[in-house]
Amino acid sequence: AQCGDKPVIVADIGNWTPTELDPHREGLPDHAARGADYGAAMEVLLDEPWFAGWHWCGYVENTGGRGWGLKDPWDEPYRPLTDAITEHNRRAAAYRKGN
C-alpha cells in the first residue's frame, strides 16, 4: 500500500532458514528456497505503482537476534541465495526498462 502517495522501499520479507549458527531455526528449507521466495515476492511487487525498490536489512547473519543475512558471519555469501537474488534483480531491471 501507499503511504500518502509516497513510494515504498521494501525492507525485507523475513525469509530465513536453518544455518550453521542456528541449525534449529524454522523457516524455509535452505538458501535456494530463500532465493526462490525473494523472486516470488519481487514478481508480485514489480507492477505495483508504489514499489520503489528493495533494501535487505540483514546483510550478515549475526549471533544476535537477526539471523537471516545474505552472508555468513565469516563473510561468505550464501551463494544459492545471492546468485538467485542477482538473477531476479537482472530480470526485474529488464522488465522495468521494457515497461
Side-chain angles (χ1 to χ4, degrees):
Q2 275 185 287
C3 181
D5 293 324
K6 304 287 184 198
V8 174
I9 295 178
V10 174
D12 69 37
I13 56 175
N15 68 1
W16 50 85
T17 190
T19 63
E20 187 175 339
L21 283 181
D22 190 352
H24 304 293
R25 179 180 293 128
E26 293 185 21
L28 297 168
D30 54 32
H31 290 291
R34 290 179 73 203
D37 188 51
Y38 175 93
M42 178 70 75
E43 287 178 20
V44 170
L45 295 172
L46 278 177
D47 286 326
E48 294 295 338
W50 49 263
F51 179 61
W54 196 305
H55 162 71
W56 200 280
C57 288
Y59 183 66
V60 176
E61 179 180 0
N62 58 49
T63 56
R66 185 175 295 274
W68 52 84
L70 299 173
K71 299 170 91 176
D72 69 22
W74 303 276
D75 209 31
E76 291 297 320
Y78 293 122
R79 289 282 180 211
L81 169 62
T82 58
D83 290 352
I85 287 173
T86 299
E87 185 56 34
H88 292 303
N89 287 348
R90 282 188 184 129
R91 279 191 249 142
Y95 177 82
R96 280 279 174 111
K97 187 175 182 180
N99 284 326

